[in-house]
Amino acid sequence: MAIYQGRARVKISGGILRRLRHKRRFELGREPTNTTIGSTKRKIIRTMGGNSKVVLLRVEYANVTIPNEKKTVKAKILHVKENIADPHFAQRGIITKGAIIETDVGICRVTSRPGQHGNVNAVLLNK
């Protein structure tokens, strides 16, 4: 079944909104990517206007920015410590924006959207 991102049929008050037109293709959504830890695997998706988007399915390394030293290094992701999007994501090892990951450099917070951007950028947290 397709994921629909158009207008809802029910108001917040419980009243019904009448349909103005039929569903459109541009109102379709996608299944969540659920980026996990493993050997890097990407998928290219066609988007509106014939453009393309890189979706990250599995990732092994993250671009970690170290604020004190003002430099960025490539660090291996060891595991997901915490994910504020869903507590079960940490158990399953799913990386989303805002997730706390442990790398070989230290503990970092993810600042990019792996399912949308195709890479994992993170900022090293102060110790």
Side-chain angles (χ1 to χ4, degrees):
M1 188 169 172
I3 296 174
Y4 179 62
Q5 292 185 326
R7 193 181 76 164
R9 289 192 59 228
V10 180
K11 297 182 201 177
I12 296 171
S13 63
I16 294 176
L17 290 168
R18 298 294 173 199
R19 178 166 279 167
L20 300 173
R21 57 177 170 78
H22 293 285
K23 294 178 181 180
R24 302 289 195 243
R25 185 177 182 275
F26 61 81
E27 293 171 339
L28 286 176
R30 283 197 318 270
E31 293 289 331
T33 306
N34 293 342
T35 304
T36 56
I37 300 169
S39 60
T40 304
K41 183 178 179 183
R42 292 181 170 92
K43 185 165 84 171
I44 296 172
I45 292 178
R46 184 191 184 276
T47 59
M48 286 276 294
N51 297 313
S52 61
K53 183 179 285 190
V54 179
V55 173
L56 195 59
L57 301 174
R58 285 193 308 253
V59 65
E60 192 171 4
Y61 294 97
N63 302 319
V64 178
T65 302
I66 304 169
N68 297 340
E69 300 175 16
K70 296 185 179 176
K71 68 175 187 177
T72 302
V73 295
K74 184 177 178 181
K76 186 172 177 64
I77 300 172
L78 303 175
H79 69 275
V80 180
K81 288 189 68 95
E82 181 184 347
N83 197 326
I84 57 171
D86 188 347
H88 301 294
F89 280 3
Q91 294 172 355
R92 294 168 57 195
I94 295 173
I95 301 170
T96 59
K97 183 176 178 178
I100 307 295
I101 57 174
E102 187 168 343
T103 62
D104 52 3
V105 177
I107 296 172
C108 310
R109 174 176 284 117
V110 178
T111 57
S112 64
R113 298 171 67 192
Q116 302 281 332
H117 299 158
N119 62 2
V120 175
N121 296 328
V123 175
L124 186 69
L125 297 176
N126 294 331
K127 298 174 185 175

